[in-house]
Amino acid sequence: IQSAYWVWIVSRVLGKGNNNKGTRAVSVAVSQVFNDMPHVLRLQAFVQTQNKASQRVVEKIGFQREGLLRSYTCLKGKIHHVFAYSLLSSDLLPLPQSSTQIV
């Protein structure tokens, strides 16, 4: 069974020397998805080949590059190639359980 959730993460800080903010935002989102939806086994990311900053972000988080999709997207009237990335829930280390409980 496959379901798709499309999320566009656009950050004005990427490419301006502030990639840590973008990396942190994507990392938190990925962790949240896997924690809140344990049935999700795989996430995919599609990054334009010329977008080096976004490639670094997904690679830092642990996404694995799986291949090149030629002429895959059209943005502002131009056709772009993209790299396909994936991250499996089994690729992540389990998060430590909090010792504090809310009563």
Side-chain angles (χ1 to χ4, degrees):
I1 295 175
Q2 180 178 357
S3 63
Y5 299 93
W6 289 91
V7 179
W8 287 85
I9 299 176
V10 178
S11 175
R12 292 179 189 218
V13 296
L14 292 178
K16 295 184 179 179
N18 265 335
N19 285 350
N20 288 337
K21 288 182 182 178
T23 301
R24 178 74 178 137
V26 175
S27 179
V28 167
V30 164
S31 295
Q32 198 69 42
V33 168
F34 283 134
N35 286 332
D36 290 354
M37 295 183 268
H39 61 281
V40 173
L41 303 177
R42 173 188 173 92
L43 295 177
Q44 293 181 175
F46 300 95
V47 181
Q48 291 180 0
T49 55
Q50 72 274 18
N51 190 338
K52 304 298 183 197
S54 291
Q55 290 172 41
R56 283 190 299 272
V57 166
V58 295
E59 289 170 1
K60 280 169 109 174
I61 294 167
F63 279 79
Q64 300 294 311
R65 186 184 297 178
E66 293 188 331
L68 172 67
L69 302 174
R70 299 180 306 144
S71 298
Y72 191 74
T73 62
C74 181
L75 181 64
K76 297 181 182 177
K78 292 186 179 181
I79 303 297
H80 296 275
H81 303 323
V82 298
F83 289 123
Y85 289 86
S86 72
L87 182 67
L88 305 180
S89 59
S90 59
D91 293 339
L92 300 176
L93 295 174
L95 295 175
Q97 296 296 319
S98 173
S99 59
T100 52
Q101 295 181 0
I102 299 174
V103 180

